[in-house]
Amino acid sequence: MAQWRFETASECAIMIYFDGELSVSLNESVGQLNSLLIERLAPILIDLVPSYSSILLSYDVCKISESELKQALILLQQEPLEAGQSINPSLVHLPVWYSEEVGQDLERVAQQSRLEVDQVIKIHSGTDYRAFALGFAPGFAYLGEVDQRIATPRLETPRVSVPAGSVAIADQQTAVYPAASPGGWNIIGQCPVELFNPTQAPYSLIQPADRVRFVSVNQDTFERIKQCPEHWSLSEGSCV
């Protein structure tokens, strides 16, 4: 596991930082420590928020002092990570209608990459992406890493509104906008699956460390799934 350190974040929170260049292996270490913290410190935890290379640990000050918690973290740093503490991420298949009708930037991404549109689609849907973190908006999962051949910089001027379900690329990250919002990523398609539901736990369909695989579908299938989400199997990646 990568080396980590911690600092006081507030009167009831500690920020844990991992040292090293951001990578899948570093992010895996974040997930492994997150699981270990849940296992060892559950009685005093209020919340854990894992990100790319850090974890925000919020704790109950009525159950443990900051000095006691820091001592517990020092002891944890000295322990090897056991296999049972590793996480078991899900593989989520998301259908995408790749089209210039809903992907305003699809043609431009292809031109900039010096590829045909079909090649961009094949490359984007031919990779399993890791959910590095959730943020920006509820249910927004930062997925990586995008193939260098189609990695495209953010727009110089963000759009005022990006439609919900937009599948987009920004450098070596990709994501699906769970709700309409401002955004500066390159839109290449649309996903009909709901990614965030505040009435159903877990609220976010994609969790940190999950793997996401995009499946190219035509417009008819897209419309069918949008009208009846139960027709799509997230685990199998096909209509049922």
Side-chain angles (χ1 to χ4, degrees), residues 53 70 72 182 188 191:
S53 58
K70 286 185 174 179
I188 61 173
C191 174

Side-chain angles (χ1 to χ4, degrees), residues 93-239:
H93 294 81
L94 294 180
V96 181
W97 174 30
Y98 294 96
S99 168
E100 293 174 56
E101 294 181 53
V102 290
Q104 303 97 303
D105 303 309
L106 181 58
E107 178 65 32
R108 185 172 54 78
V109 170
Q111 290 178 351
Q112 185 165 319
S113 303
R114 297 183 179 180
L115 297 169
E116 298 295 328
V117 166
D118 287 347
Q119 291 176 297
V120 172
I121 295 171
K122 184 176 181 179
I123 293 170
H124 186 264
S125 60
T127 301
D128 284 1
Y129 300 95
R130 179 182 175 86
F132 283 109
L134 300 181
F136 172 65
F140 189 101
Y142 290 86
L143 309 174
E145 299 177 334
V146 170
D147 191 299
Q148 287 279 10
R149 289 173 292 174
I150 61 171
T152 308
R154 289 174 172 81
L155 303 176
E156 292 186 5
T157 303
R159 293 184 172 92
V160 174
S161 181
V162 174
S166 293
V167 180
I169 292 174
D171 298 308
Q172 285 189 268
Q173 297 181 106
T174 187
V176 181
Y177 284 77
S181 68
W185 292 32
N186 303 277
I187 304 171
I188 61 173
Q190 266 278 327
C191 174
V193 174
E194 183 178 55
L195 297 183
F196 180 77
N197 185 344
T199 67
Q200 180 178 317
Y203 306 134
S204 176
L205 175 65
I206 303 171
Q207 296 296 309
D210 279 351
R211 291 180 298 138
V212 175
R213 182 178 300 167
F214 294 110
V215 181
S216 179
V217 299
N218 58 30
Q219 183 178 3
D220 289 342
T221 302
F222 170 86
E223 297 293 349
R224 180 186 175 195
I225 298 169
K226 191 170 184 178
Q227 294 177 11
C228 301
E230 61 272 16
H231 286 320
W232 181 260
S233 171
L234 293 168
S235 60
E236 298 296 329
S238 60
C239 288

